Amino acid sequence: MDVQAGALYRYFATKQDLLTAMAERMMDGVADAAEAREADWSERLATLARAMRAALLSRRDGARVFAGTHSTGANILGFADTVVGVMRTAGFPDDDAARALYAMANFTVGHTLEEQAALQPGSGGPADPGHLADAVAAGTYPHLKASLPTLTSTDFTRLFEFGLDLLIEGLRARR
């Protein structure tokens, strides 16, 4: 908007209103990711989750801005409606379709929040693998030590896809 931070409050009554508007803007066009009607429900859900993650990653601290906004704007409601519609069309009952929306959105936001935080300099996260390796080495954590290469990995796409697959397979089993 090309203004000083304080001047933003001429446009937004509160900080929460500003964050909500930012979250709404980030989600512009994300629901369009499900356009491929020939794909089955699980592919469409995965595509929507990936599009949401990409939208959050497109802005510095995007997941932090998005988390907890509970926007009722057209972009976010359109995304939510699309996800619930995918699930209902697949035969999920209305309540499970809504719960699937929450599970997918909460997983995506949570993963992306951790991803963005871990990549911040000085976070002690996977971007600084020595920090975790030192802490594990200083204690008796044989299982963590065996898993350290994965725990310190910065391949967040692989981690996201693993979790997304677990979510979808759980929904598939429930269906």
Side-chain angles (χ1 to χ4, degrees):
M1 297 178 80
D2 224 10
V3 297
Q4 297 292 324
L8 289 173
Y9 292 107
R10 280 190 258 165
Y11 301 97
F12 303 99
T14 66
K15 179 181 178 182
Q16 190 60 42
D17 290 344
L18 172 61
L19 294 174
T20 299
M22 292 168 66
E24 178 67 16
R25 178 66 156 245
M26 274 189 284
M27 293 296 288
D28 184 30
V30 175
D32 298 339
E35 290 292 318
R37 301 282 182 221
E38 69 279 350
D40 83 334
W41 70 268
S42 62
E43 292 169 8
R44 293 180 71 205
L45 183 64
T47 297
L48 286 161
R50 290 179 192 118
M52 181 182 197
R53 177 175 172 247
L56 299 177
L57 288 172
S58 73
R59 302 287 191 276
R60 191 183 91 210
D61 296 326
R64 185 183 304 176
V65 167
F66 185 92
T69 58
H70 305 290
S71 173
T72 55
N75 291 330
I76 292 175
L77 290 181
F79 176 80
D81 188 66
T82 299
V83 172
V84 171
V86 165
M87 302 310 290
R88 291 182 69 227
T89 300
F92 285 85
D94 294 345
D95 55 346
D96 282 352
R99 289 182 191 112
L101 164 67
Y102 278 122
M104 183 273 283
N106 289 339
F107 165 70
T108 302
V109 171
H111 170 87
T112 310
L113 184 64
E114 290 297 321
E115 178 177 356
Q116 288 180 319
L119 295 175
Q120 295 288 329
S123 69
D128 179 12
H131 184 74
L132 179 58
D134 291 346
V136 169
T140 54
Y141 308 105
H143 305 296
L144 292 179
K145 186 174 183 178
S147 303
L148 209 51
T150 301
L151 294 172
T152 58
S153 172
T154 56
D155 187 351
F156 291 104
T157 298
R158 187 170 182 188
L159 293 170
F160 179 78
E161 291 297 327
F162 181 84
L164 184 58
D165 185 55
L166 288 177
L167 177 68
I168 288 171
E169 290 306 314
L171 287 167
R172 190 181 315 280
R174 186 173 188 92
R175 186 169 163 240

Short mmCIF file of all heavy atoms in Angstrom, two decimals, residues 6-55:
data_model
loop_
_atom_site.label_atom_id
_atom_site.label_comp_id
_atom_site.label_asym_id
_atom_site.label_seq_id
_atom_site.Cartn_x
_atom_site.Cartn_y
_atom_site.Cartn_z
N GLY A 6 1.80 2.52 10.79
CA GLY A 6 0.71 3.16 11.54
C GLY A 6 -0.43 3.65 10.66
O GLY A 6 -1.59 3.66 11.06
N ALA A 7 -0.10 4.02 9.45
CA ALA A 7 -1.13 4.52 8.53
C ALA A 7 -2.08 3.42 8.07
O ALA A 7 -3.18 3.71 7.58
CB ALA A 7 -0.47 5.18 7.32
N LEU A 8 -1.67 2.17 8.23
CA LEU A 8 -2.54 1.06 7.84
C LEU A 8 -3.86 1.08 8.61
O LEU A 8 -4.88 0.59 8.13
CB LEU A 8 -1.84 -0.28 8.05
CG LEU A 8 -0.71 -0.60 7.10
CD1 LEU A 8 0.00 -1.88 7.52
CD2 LEU A 8 -1.24 -0.75 5.68
N TYR A 9 -3.84 1.64 9.81
CA TYR A 9 -5.04 1.64 10.64
C TYR A 9 -6.09 2.63 10.14
O TYR A 9 -7.19 2.69 10.67
CB TYR A 9 -4.68 1.82 12.12
CG TYR A 9 -3.94 0.61 12.61
CD1 TYR A 9 -2.58 0.63 12.87
CD2 TYR A 9 -4.61 -0.62 12.74
CE1 TYR A 9 -1.90 -0.52 13.27
CE2 TYR A 9 -3.94 -1.77 13.14
CZ TYR A 9 -2.59 -1.70 13.40
OH TYR A 9 -1.93 -2.85 13.78
N ARG A 10 -5.76 3.39 9.11
CA ARG A 10 -6.81 4.15 8.42
C ARG A 10 -7.65 3.21 7.57
O ARG A 10 -8.79 3.49 7.27
CB ARG A 10 -6.19 5.24 7.53
CG ARG A 10 -5.79 6.47 8.31
CD ARG A 10 -5.43 7.57 7.35
NE ARG A 10 -3.96 7.61 7.33
CZ ARG A 10 -3.25 8.23 6.44
NH1 ARG A 10 -3.83 8.87 5.45
NH2 ARG A 10 -1.94 8.24 6.50
N TYR A 11 -7.04 2.09 7.17
CA TYR A 11 -7.72 1.12 6.32
C TYR A 11 -8.30 -0.05 7.12
O TYR A 11 -9.25 -0.69 6.70
CB TYR A 11 -6.75 0.55 5.28
CG TYR A 11 -6.17 1.61 4.38
CD1 TYR A 11 -4.91 2.16 4.65
CD2 TYR A 11 -6.87 2.08 3.28
CE1 TYR A 11 -4.37 3.13 3.83
CE2 TYR A 11 -6.34 3.06 2.45
CZ TYR A 11 -5.08 3.57 2.74
OH TYR A 11 -4.56 4.54 1.92
N PHE A 12 -7.68 -0.36 8.26
CA PHE A 12 -8.09 -1.50 9.08
C PHE A 12 -8.24 -1.04 10.53
O PHE A 12 -7.34 -0.42 11.08
CB PHE A 12 -7.06 -2.63 9.00
CG PHE A 12 -6.81 -3.09 7.59
CD1 PHE A 12 -5.72 -2.64 6.88
CD2 PHE A 12 -7.69 -3.97 6.98
CE1 PHE A 12 -5.50 -3.05 5.57
CE2 PHE A 12 -7.48 -4.38 5.68
CZ PHE A 12 -6.38 -3.93 4.97
N ALA A 13 -9.37 -1.38 11.13
CA ALA A 13 -9.65 -0.93 12.50
C ALA A 13 -8.71 -1.55 13.52
O ALA A 13 -8.33 -0.90 14.50
CB ALA A 13 -11.10 -1.24 12.85
N THR A 14 -8.31 -2.80 13.31
CA THR A 14 -7.47 -3.50 14.28
C THR A 14 -6.39 -4.30 13.56
O THR A 14 -6.48 -4.54 12.34
CB THR A 14 -8.29 -4.49 15.13
OG1 THR A 14 -8.78 -5.54 14.27
CG2 THR A 14 -9.45 -3.80 15.83
N LYS A 15 -5.42 -4.74 14.32
CA LYS A 15 -4.37 -5.61 13.76
C LYS A 15 -5.00 -6.91 13.25
O LYS A 15 -4.61 -7.43 12.20
CB LYS A 15 -3.32 -5.91 14.82
CG LYS A 15 -2.21 -6.81 14.32
CD LYS A 15 -1.19 -7.09 15.41
CE LYS A 15 -0.12 -8.04 14.91
NZ LYS A 15 0.84 -8.37 15.97
N GLN A 16 -5.99 -7.44 13.99
CA GLN A 16 -6.65 -8.68 13.56
C GLN A 16 -7.34 -8.48 12.21
O GLN A 16 -7.31 -9.36 11.36
CB GLN A 16 -7.66 -9.14 14.62
CG GLN A 16 -8.20 -10.53 14.36
CD GLN A 16 -7.11 -11.59 14.33
OE1 GLN A 16 -6.20 -11.58 15.15
NE2 GLN A 16 -7.20 -12.51 13.39
N ASP A 17 -7.96 -7.32 12.00
CA ASP A 17 -8.58 -7.03 10.70
C ASP A 17 -7.54 -7.02 9.58
O ASP A 17 -7.79 -7.51 8.48
CB ASP A 17 -9.30 -5.68 10.73
CG ASP A 17 -10.55 -5.69 11.58
OD1 ASP A 17 -11.06 -6.78 11.92
OD2 ASP A 17 -11.03 -4.58 11.92
N LEU A 18 -6.37 -6.46 9.87
CA LEU A 18 -5.29 -6.42 8.89
C LEU A 18 -4.81 -7.84 8.56
O LEU A 18 -4.67 -8.20 7.40
CB LEU A 18 -4.13 -5.58 9.40
CG LEU A 18 -2.84 -5.60 8.57
CD1 LEU A 18 -3.08 -5.06 7.17
CD2 LEU A 18 -1.75 -4.81 9.28
N LEU A 19 -4.58 -8.65 9.60
CA LEU A 19 -4.14 -10.03 9.39
C LEU A 19 -5.18 -10.84 8.62
O LEU A 19 -4.84 -11.63 7.74
CB LEU A 19 -3.82 -10.70 10.72
CG LEU A 19 -2.64 -10.13 11.49
CD1 LEU A 19 -2.53 -10.78 12.87
CD2 LEU A 19 -1.34 -10.28 10.71
N THR A 20 -6.44 -10.63 8.93
CA THR A 20 -7.51 -11.33 8.23
C THR A 20 -7.53 -10.95 6.75
O THR A 20 -7.67 -11.81 5.88
CB THR A 20 -8.87 -11.04 8.90
OG1 THR A 20 -8.82 -11.51 10.25
CG2 THR A 20 -10.02 -11.70 8.17
N ALA A 21 -7.35 -9.69 6.46
CA ALA A 21 -7.31 -9.23 5.07
C ALA A 21 -6.10 -9.82 4.35
O ALA A 21 -6.19 -10.20 3.17
CB ALA A 21 -7.28 -7.70 5.01
N MET A 22 -4.98 -9.92 5.05
CA MET A 22 -3.78 -10.51 4.45
C MET A 22 -4.00 -11.99 4.17
O MET A 22 -3.61 -12.49 3.11
CB MET A 22 -2.57 -10.29 5.37
CG MET A 22 -2.15 -8.84 5.47
SD MET A 22 -0.96 -8.53 6.80
CE MET A 22 0.47 -9.42 6.21
N ALA A 23 -4.63 -12.70 5.10
CA ALA A 23 -4.91 -14.12 4.90
C ALA A 23 -5.86 -14.31 3.72
O ALA A 23 -5.65 -15.19 2.88
CB ALA A 23 -5.53 -14.72 6.17
N GLU A 24 -6.85 -13.48 3.64
CA GLU A 24 -7.80 -13.54 2.53
C GLU A 24 -7.09 -13.32 1.20
O GLU A 24 -7.33 -14.03 0.23
CB GLU A 24 -8.90 -12.49 2.76
CG GLU A 24 -9.93 -12.41 1.69
CD GLU A 24 -10.83 -13.63 1.58
OE1 GLU A 24 -10.88 -14.45 2.51
OE2 GLU A 24 -11.46 -13.78 0.53
N ARG A 25 -6.18 -12.38 1.17
CA ARG A 25 -5.44 -12.08 -0.06
C ARG A 25 -4.54 -13.26 -0.47
O ARG A 25 -4.45 -13.59 -1.64
CB ARG A 25 -4.61 -10.82 0.15
CG ARG A 25 -3.76 -10.40 -0.99
CD ARG A 25 -4.62 -9.99 -2.20
NE ARG A 25 -3.86 -9.11 -3.03
CZ ARG A 25 -4.16 -7.85 -3.25
NH1 ARG A 25 -5.22 -7.32 -2.72
NH2 ARG A 25 -3.40 -7.11 -4.00
N MET A 26 -3.90 -13.90 0.53
CA MET A 26 -3.03 -15.04 0.23
C MET A 26 -3.81 -16.18 -0.41
O MET A 26 -3.28 -16.93 -1.21
CB MET A 26 -2.37 -15.58 1.51
CG MET A 26 -1.10 -14.89 1.88
SD MET A 26 -0.27 -15.74 3.23
CE MET A 26 -1.26 -15.26 4.62
N MET A 27 -5.07 -16.35 -0.03
CA MET A 27 -5.87 -17.48 -0.50
C MET A 27 -6.57 -17.20 -1.83
O MET A 27 -7.29 -18.06 -2.33
CB MET A 27 -6.90 -17.86 0.57
CG MET A 27 -6.28 -18.43 1.83
SD MET A 27 -5.41 -20.00 1.55
CE MET A 27 -6.79 -21.09 1.31
N ASP A 28 -6.31 -16.04 -2.42
CA ASP A 28 -6.92 -15.70 -3.69
C ASP A 28 -6.55 -16.74 -4.75
O ASP A 28 -5.38 -16.98 -5.02
CB ASP A 28 -6.47 -14.31 -4.14
CG ASP A 28 -7.15 -13.85 -5.41
OD1 ASP A 28 -8.30 -14.25 -5.65
OD2 ASP A 28 -6.53 -13.07 -6.16
N GLY A 29 -7.54 -17.38 -5.33
CA GLY A 29 -7.33 -18.34 -6.40
C GLY A 29 -6.95 -19.75 -5.97
O GLY A 29 -6.85 -20.64 -6.81
N VAL A 30 -6.76 -19.99 -4.67
CA VAL A 30 -6.32 -21.31 -4.21
C VAL A 30 -7.39 -22.37 -4.47
O VAL A 30 -7.06 -23.51 -4.82
CB VAL A 30 -5.89 -21.27 -2.73
CG1 VAL A 30 -5.54 -22.65 -2.21
CG2 VAL A 30 -4.70 -20.33 -2.56
N ALA A 31 -8.65 -22.02 -4.33
CA ALA A 31 -9.73 -22.99 -4.57
C ALA A 31 -9.73 -23.47 -6.02
O ALA A 31 -10.20 -24.58 -6.31
CB ALA A 31 -11.08 -22.39 -4.22
N ASP A 32 -9.19 -22.68 -6.92
CA ASP A 32 -9.15 -23.06 -8.34
C ASP A 32 -8.28 -24.28 -8.59
O ASP A 32 -8.37 -24.89 -9.66
CB ASP A 32 -8.63 -21.89 -9.19
CG ASP A 32 -9.52 -20.67 -9.11
OD1 ASP A 32 -10.71 -20.81 -8.74
OD2 ASP A 32 -9.03 -19.56 -9.39
N ALA A 33 -7.47 -24.66 -7.63
CA ALA A 33 -6.58 -25.82 -7.79
C ALA A 33 -7.37 -27.11 -7.99
O ALA A 33 -6.85 -28.07 -8.52
CB ALA A 33 -5.66 -25.96 -6.58
N ALA A 34 -8.63 -27.12 -7.57
CA ALA A 34 -9.43 -28.34 -7.66
C ALA A 34 -10.22 -28.43 -8.96
O ALA A 34 -11.11 -29.25 -9.09
CB ALA A 34 -10.40 -28.41 -6.48
N GLU A 35 -9.87 -27.63 -9.93
CA GLU A 35 -10.61 -27.59 -11.19
C GLU A 35 -10.65 -28.91 -11.93
O GLU A 35 -11.58 -29.18 -12.66
CB GLU A 35 -10.02 -26.51 -12.11
CG GLU A 35 -10.28 -25.10 -11.63
CD GLU A 35 -11.75 -24.71 -11.71
OE1 GLU A 35 -12.41 -25.04 -12.71
OE2 GLU A 35 -12.22 -24.08 -10.76
N ALA A 36 -9.65 -29.76 -11.75
CA ALA A 36 -9.59 -31.03 -12.49
C ALA A 36 -10.69 -31.96 -11.97
O ALA A 36 -10.49 -32.72 -11.04
CB ALA A 36 -8.22 -31.67 -12.35
N ARG A 37 -11.83 -31.89 -12.57
CA ARG A 37 -12.99 -32.69 -12.12
C ARG A 37 -12.81 -34.19 -12.35
O ARG A 37 -13.46 -34.99 -11.72
CB ARG A 37 -14.27 -32.21 -12.82
CG ARG A 37 -14.58 -30.75 -12.58
CD ARG A 37 -15.18 -30.57 -11.22
NE ARG A 37 -15.52 -29.16 -11.04
CZ ARG A 37 -15.33 -28.51 -9.92
NH1 ARG A 37 -14.79 -29.11 -8.90
NH2 ARG A 37 -15.67 -27.25 -9.82
N GLU A 38 -11.92 -34.57 -13.27
CA GLU A 38 -11.74 -35.99 -13.55
C GLU A 38 -10.90 -36.69 -12.49
O GLU A 38 -10.91 -37.91 -12.40
CB GLU A 38 -11.13 -36.21 -14.94
CG GLU A 38 -9.68 -35.76 -15.07
CD GLU A 38 -9.49 -34.27 -15.30
OE1 GLU A 38 -10.48 -33.58 -15.56
OE2 GLU A 38 -8.34 -33.81 -15.22
N ALA A 39 -10.16 -35.96 -11.70
CA ALA A 39 -9.34 -36.55 -10.65
C ALA A 39 -10.24 -37.08 -9.53
O ALA A 39 -11.31 -36.53 -9.27
CB ALA A 39 -8.37 -35.52 -10.10
N ASP A 40 -9.79 -38.13 -8.85
CA ASP A 40 -10.60 -38.63 -7.75
C ASP A 40 -10.44 -37.71 -6.54
O ASP A 40 -9.60 -36.81 -6.52
CB ASP A 40 -10.25 -40.09 -7.44
CG ASP A 40 -9.03 -40.27 -6.54
OD1 ASP A 40 -8.16 -39.39 -6.52
OD2 ASP A 40 -8.96 -41.31 -5.88
N TRP A 41 -11.27 -37.95 -5.54
CA TRP A 41 -11.33 -37.05 -4.39
C TRP A 41 -9.98 -36.90 -3.70
O TRP A 41 -9.63 -35.79 -3.27
CB TRP A 41 -12.40 -37.52 -3.39
CG TRP A 41 -12.04 -38.78 -2.67
CD1 TRP A 41 -12.36 -40.06 -3.04
CD2 TRP A 41 -11.26 -38.90 -1.47
NE1 TRP A 41 -11.83 -40.96 -2.14
CE2 TRP A 41 -11.16 -40.27 -1.16
CE3 TRP A 41 -10.66 -37.98 -0.61
CZ2 TRP A 41 -10.48 -40.75 -0.05
CZ3 TRP A 41 -9.97 -38.45 0.50
CH2 TRP A 41 -9.88 -39.82 0.78
N SER A 42 -9.23 -37.99 -3.59
CA SER A 42 -7.96 -37.91 -2.86
C SER A 42 -6.94 -37.05 -3.61
O SER A 42 -6.19 -36.29 -2.98
CB SER A 42 -7.41 -39.32 -2.60
OG SER A 42 -7.12 -39.99 -3.80
N GLU A 43 -6.93 -37.13 -4.92
CA GLU A 43 -6.03 -36.29 -5.73
C GLU A 43 -6.45 -34.83 -5.64
O GLU A 43 -5.60 -33.93 -5.55
CB GLU A 43 -6.02 -36.76 -7.18
CG GLU A 43 -5.39 -38.12 -7.37
CD GLU A 43 -5.62 -38.70 -8.77
OE1 GLU A 43 -6.16 -37.98 -9.64
OE2 GLU A 43 -5.28 -39.87 -8.97
N ARG A 44 -7.74 -34.58 -5.65
CA ARG A 44 -8.23 -33.21 -5.55
C ARG A 44 -7.92 -32.61 -4.18
O ARG A 44 -7.50 -31.46 -4.07
CB ARG A 44 -9.72 -33.15 -5.86
CG ARG A 44 -10.00 -33.49 -7.34
CD ARG A 44 -11.45 -33.46 -7.68
NE ARG A 44 -11.91 -32.06 -7.68
CZ ARG A 44 -13.17 -31.71 -7.47
NH1 ARG A 44 -14.10 -32.62 -7.25
NH2 ARG A 44 -13.51 -30.45 -7.50
N LEU A 45 -8.12 -33.41 -3.13
CA LEU A 45 -7.81 -32.94 -1.78
C LEU A 45 -6.32 -32.64 -1.65
O LEU A 45 -5.92 -31.61 -1.09
CB LEU A 45 -8.25 -33.97 -0.73
CG LEU A 45 -8.05 -33.55 0.73
CD1 LEU A 45 -8.91 -32.34 1.08
CD2 LEU A 45 -8.36 -34.72 1.66
N ALA A 46 -5.47 -33.54 -2.15
CA ALA A 46 -4.03 -33.33 -2.10
C ALA A 46 -3.64 -32.08 -2.87
O ALA A 46 -2.80 -31.29 -2.42
CB ALA A 46 -3.30 -34.55 -2.64
N THR A 47 -4.25 -31.86 -4.03
CA THR A 47 -3.95 -30.67 -4.83
C THR A 47 -4.34 -29.40 -4.07
O THR A 47 -3.59 -28.42 -4.09
CB THR A 47 -4.70 -30.75 -6.18
OG1 THR A 47 -4.21 -31.90 -6.89
CG2 THR A 47 -4.49 -29.52 -7.01
N LEU A 48 -5.47 -29.43 -3.40
CA LEU A 48 -5.90 -28.26 -2.62
C LEU A 48 -4.95 -28.00 -1.45
O LEU A 48 -4.61 -26.85 -1.17
CB LEU A 48 -7.33 -28.45 -2.12
CG LEU A 48 -8.40 -28.30 -3.20
CD1 LEU A 48 -9.72 -28.94 -2.76
CD2 LEU A 48 -8.60 -26.82 -3.53
N ALA A 49 -4.52 -29.05 -0.77
CA ALA A 49 -3.58 -28.89 0.34
C ALA A 49 -2.25 -28.32 -0.15
O ALA A 49 -1.68 -27.41 0.47
CB ALA A 49 -3.35 -30.22 1.05
N ARG A 50 -1.78 -28.83 -1.28
CA ARG A 50 -0.52 -28.31 -1.85
C ARG A 50 -0.66 -26.85 -2.26
O ARG A 50 0.26 -26.05 -2.08
CB ARG A 50 -0.10 -29.16 -3.03
CG ARG A 50 0.36 -30.54 -2.67
CD ARG A 50 0.74 -31.36 -3.90
NE ARG A 50 0.91 -32.74 -3.53
CZ ARG A 50 0.19 -33.75 -4.03
NH1 ARG A 50 -0.74 -33.52 -4.95
NH2 ARG A 50 0.40 -34.97 -3.62
N ALA A 51 -1.80 -26.50 -2.82
CA ALA A 51 -2.03 -25.11 -3.24
C ALA A 51 -2.10 -24.19 -2.03
O ALA A 51 -1.58 -23.07 -2.06
CB ALA A 51 -3.31 -25.02 -4.06
N MET A 52 -2.71 -24.66 -0.96
CA MET A 52 -2.77 -23.86 0.26
C MET A 52 -1.36 -23.65 0.82
O MET A 52 -0.98 -22.53 1.20
CB MET A 52 -3.65 -24.53 1.30
CG MET A 52 -3.78 -23.76 2.59
SD MET A 52 -4.81 -24.66 3.77
CE MET A 52 -5.19 -23.32 4.90
N ARG A 53 -0.57 -24.72 0.86
CA ARG A 53 0.81 -24.61 1.36
C ARG A 53 1.60 -23.63 0.51
O ARG A 53 2.32 -22.78 1.03
CB ARG A 53 1.47 -25.98 1.36
CG ARG A 53 2.93 -25.95 1.79
CD ARG A 53 3.51 -27.36 1.88
NE ARG A 53 4.93 -27.30 2.11
CZ ARG A 53 5.84 -27.70 1.23
NH1 ARG A 53 5.49 -28.22 0.06
NH2 ARG A 53 7.13 -27.61 1.52
N ALA A 54 1.45 -23.75 -0.81
CA ALA A 54 2.18 -22.83 -1.71
C ALA A 54 1.77 -21.39 -1.46
O ALA A 54 2.62 -20.49 -1.46
CB ALA A 54 1.93 -23.22 -3.17
N ALA A 55 0.49 -21.16 -1.22
CA ALA A 55 0.01 -19.79 -0.95
C ALA A 55 0.62 -19.26 0.34
O ALA A 55 1.07 -18.11 0.40
CB ALA A 55 -1.52 -19.77 -0.88
#
